[in-house]
């Protein structure tokens, strides 16, 4: 007899961990409002205070030159393209100076898999940033670290150790997409495997670094593969407790070779809610206003999310795929307050750093 979603949700509220089979049943047969109600209840248990956090930062893509050429990406360029670039130190300086001037506390530093830049380039870049600024560097996703390891004939641990010594603070979960080898072999055959992505995160956690986890969904995967992704993240978190947050977001197809049509609100909210229910060992779930817009992001705060992510002073990758939502800091605070929560600024470790209560204006 197939699992009944109402029985599954009742058991979750009674404290039972969601199995992969039960999660698949929720994806296939549960209505979105029931999922949202349970996810919201779990959020309230984990975060009793009516607070939604956010961070002020900027996504800096130091280069768009990339040899991975993933079919879902509209951002990458070949080395000889007329609009290919590698940021100069001067450009980097101006971007970070502006970020700090706007109240920013961190940068998300990511780039394409450049075929020629060696590890010394990245270490020098980190030292330059730390010498000029007091700012948290959340940078270099697992595919970049795997690329550095291959290009420099070094181990993953040695690459992370060198980057950390040069100034890297935490590692973002970019490049996870769906942690299924079938999906990755179709969409991004030149990028690191699912096992390699997980290995980078495990090694970083064992070295004492914190990271985030992501999931880009609604492209070529099925529901079982979304569950496979969530299960791999939960299993690693059981081992290491190194993930600070989980950030699910939807594939944006425009200007990409993969193409197709984007999914919007209902599918996003359903996946967000199941993520909140399934990942019982990850404290923070982030809403993606960048791909969903402000209204769906506001709804997401009642579907399990307790964080609205970054103000994103600059964002390039999603914008290249035809999505250009923007939100000022005052708009973000107002959106949170209008949803019945108190907005609080945080750092990359989810510590509140505003010092005082805010009223959303």
């Amino acid at each position: 007899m197939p699992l009944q979603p109402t029985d599954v949700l009742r058991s979750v509220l009674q404290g039972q961990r969601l199995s992969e089979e039960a999660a698949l049943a929720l994806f296939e047969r549960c209505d979105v409002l029931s999922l949202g109600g349970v996810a919201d209840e779990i959020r309230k248990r984990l975060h009793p205070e009516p607070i939604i956090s956010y961070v002020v930062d900027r996504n800096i893509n130091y280069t768009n030159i990339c040899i991975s050429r993933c079919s879902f990406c509209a951002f990458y360029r070949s080395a000889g393209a007329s609009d290919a670039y590698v940021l100069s130190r001067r450009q980097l300086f101006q971007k970070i100076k502006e970020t700090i001037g706007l109240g920013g506390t961190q940068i998300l530093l990511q780039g394409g898999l450049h075929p020629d830049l060696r590890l010394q380039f990245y270490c020098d870049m980190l030292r330059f940033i730390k010498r000029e600024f007091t700012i948290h560097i959340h940078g270099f996703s697992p595919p970049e670290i795997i690329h550095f390891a291959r290009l420099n004939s070094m181990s993953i641990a040695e690459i992370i150790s060198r980057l950390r010594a040069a100034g890297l603070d935490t590692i973002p979960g970019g490049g996870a997409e769906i942690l299924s080898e079938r999906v990755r072999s179709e969409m991004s055959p030149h990028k690191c495997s699912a096992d390699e992505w997980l290995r980078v995160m495990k090694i970083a956690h064992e070295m004492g670094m914190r990271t985030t986890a992501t999931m880009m969904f609604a492209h070529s995967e099925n529901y079982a593969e979304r569950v496979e992704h969530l299960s791999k993240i939960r299993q690693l978190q059981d081992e290491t407790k190194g993930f600070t947050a989980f950030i699910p977001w939807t594939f944006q197809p425009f200007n990409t070779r993969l193409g197709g049509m984007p999914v919007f609100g209902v599918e996003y909210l359903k996946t967000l809610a199941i993520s909140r229910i399934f990942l019982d060992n990850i404290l923070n779930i982030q809403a993606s206003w960048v791909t969903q817009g402000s209204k769906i992001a506001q709804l997401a705060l009642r579907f399990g999310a307790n964080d609205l992510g970054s103000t994103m002073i600059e964002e390039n990758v999603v914008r290249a795929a035809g999505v250009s939502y923007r939100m000022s800091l005052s708009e973000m605070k107002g959106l949170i307050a209008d949803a019945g929560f108190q907005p609080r600024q945080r750092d990359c470790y989810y510590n509140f750093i505003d010092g005082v209560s805010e009223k959303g204006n």
Side-chain angles (χ1 to χ4, degrees):
M1 183 176 180
L3 289 171
Q4 297 303 310
T6 51
D7 294 336
V8 171
L9 294 180
R10 187 181 303 112
S11 70
V12 167
L13 289 174
Q14 291 170 348
Q16 186 170 327
R17 187 173 235 194
L18 193 63
S19 68
E20 293 183 23
E21 180 188 12
L24 186 58
L26 294 183
F27 268 116
E28 292 176 339
R29 296 195 296 279
C30 194
D31 70 276
V32 68
L33 291 180
S34 296
L35 287 170
V38 171
D40 193 46
E41 175 60 27
I42 293 173
R43 176 194 60 77
K44 286 187 282 191
R45 292 179 183 181
L46 294 171
H47 303 276
E49 297 297 322
I51 292 172
I52 297 296
S53 54
Y54 64 90
V55 65
V56 179
D57 81 350
R58 177 178 206 144
N59 289 10
I60 298 179
N61 302 109
Y62 53 84
T63 181
N64 62 351
I65 297 172
C66 186
I67 58 173
S68 191
R69 302 177 63 82
C70 300
S71 62
F72 59 82
C73 181
F75 177 70
Y76 75 85
R77 294 292 184 273
S78 60
S82 59
D83 54 351
Y85 72 83
V86 176
L87 289 182
S88 67
R89 291 286 187 273
R90 180 182 179 84
Q91 290 170 313
L92 197 56
F93 182 92
Q94 290 298 330
K95 287 177 182 291
I96 299 174
K97 181 181 179 182
E98 182 185 51
T99 301
I100 292 175
L102 293 170
T105 58
Q106 69 176 42
I107 56 169
L108 173 61
L109 189 66
Q110 292 185 125
L113 308 186
H114 196 289
D116 302 319
L117 299 177
R118 300 289 166 162
L119 184 62
Q120 190 65 42
F121 170 86
Y122 303 101
C123 290
D124 288 346
M125 180 167 61
L126 291 168
R127 292 191 189 94
F128 167 76
I129 294 170
K130 289 293 189 179
R131 184 172 64 247
E132 298 291 338
F133 303 102
T134 300
I135 196 162
H136 184 102
I137 303 178
H138 187 51
F140 305 123
S141 60
E144 291 167 273
I145 291 174
I146 292 290
H147 176 67
F148 300 162
R150 291 173 179 164
L151 201 61
N152 294 275
S153 300
M154 297 170 69
S155 69
I156 294 169
E158 190 170 5
I159 292 291
I160 294 175
S161 180
R162 295 276 190 93
L163 293 173
R164 191 181 191 187
L168 180 64
D169 294 299
T170 52
I171 295 175
E177 283 82 64
I178 293 290
L179 295 172
S180 157
E181 301 301 358
R182 185 201 70 80
V183 176
R184 301 179 78 82
S185 66
E186 288 184 5
M187 292 203 319
S188 50
H190 307 299
K191 190 178 271 187
C192 70
S193 67
D195 284 347
E196 287 174 321
W197 189 97
L198 292 162
R199 195 181 314 146
V200 169
M201 292 308 195
K202 183 175 183 180
I203 291 170
H205 295 170
E206 290 173 344
M207 295 173 69
M209 293 188 77
R210 306 300 299 277
T211 77
T212 55
T214 64
M215 177 171 71
M216 184 190 75
F217 63 96
H219 36 82
S220 59
E221 89 286 0
N222 56 40
Y223 282 146
E225 287 161 338
R226 283 188 208 176
V227 173
E228 178 186 357
H229 180 102
L230 293 172
S231 184
K232 288 177 177 176
I233 295 293
R234 188 172 73 179
Q235 183 176 346
L236 181 57
Q237 182 73 341
D238 279 343
E239 294 178 31
T240 65
K241 297 178 174 57
F243 291 121
T244 57
F246 181 71
I247 307 122
W249 56 286
T250 53
F251 167 58
Q252 303 302 313
F254 301 116
N255 307 320
T256 69
R257 285 189 291 117
L258 186 59
M261 293 297 294
V263 297
F264 293 104
V266 172
E267 189 65 23
Y268 170 74
L269 293 171
K270 177 166 77 172
T271 302
L272 179 79
I274 294 174
S275 300
R276 175 61 289 170
I277 296 169
F278 192 89
L279 298 172
D280 57 353
N281 55 3
I282 295 183
L283 188 58
N284 302 294
I285 302 289
Q286 190 178 117
S288 176
W289 66 264
V290 176
T291 59
Q292 297 299 312
S294 60
K295 295 305 179 186
I296 295 297
Q298 195 172 37
L299 274 175
L301 305 182
R302 297 296 180 181
F303 278 75
N306 66 289
D307 184 87
L308 206 51
S310 166
T311 54
M312 289 199 185
I313 297 165
E314 177 182 352
E315 197 287 325
N316 301 301
V317 177
V318 174
R319 174 175 281 266
V323 178
S324 57
Y325 293 118
R326 282 287 180 266
M327 192 183 300
S328 68
L329 179 55
S330 62
E331 288 172 326
M332 178 172 283
K333 289 181 176 180
L335 184 150
I336 294 170
D338 288 345
F341 296 96
Q342 182 183 9
R344 296 290 304 272
Q345 186 176 354
R346 64 165 173 84
D347 62 16
C348 202
Y349 302 104
Y350 285 79
N351 301 309
F352 297 131
I353 58 172
D354 46 15
V356 293
S357 298
E358 300 182 32
K359 301 298 183 185
N361 51 35

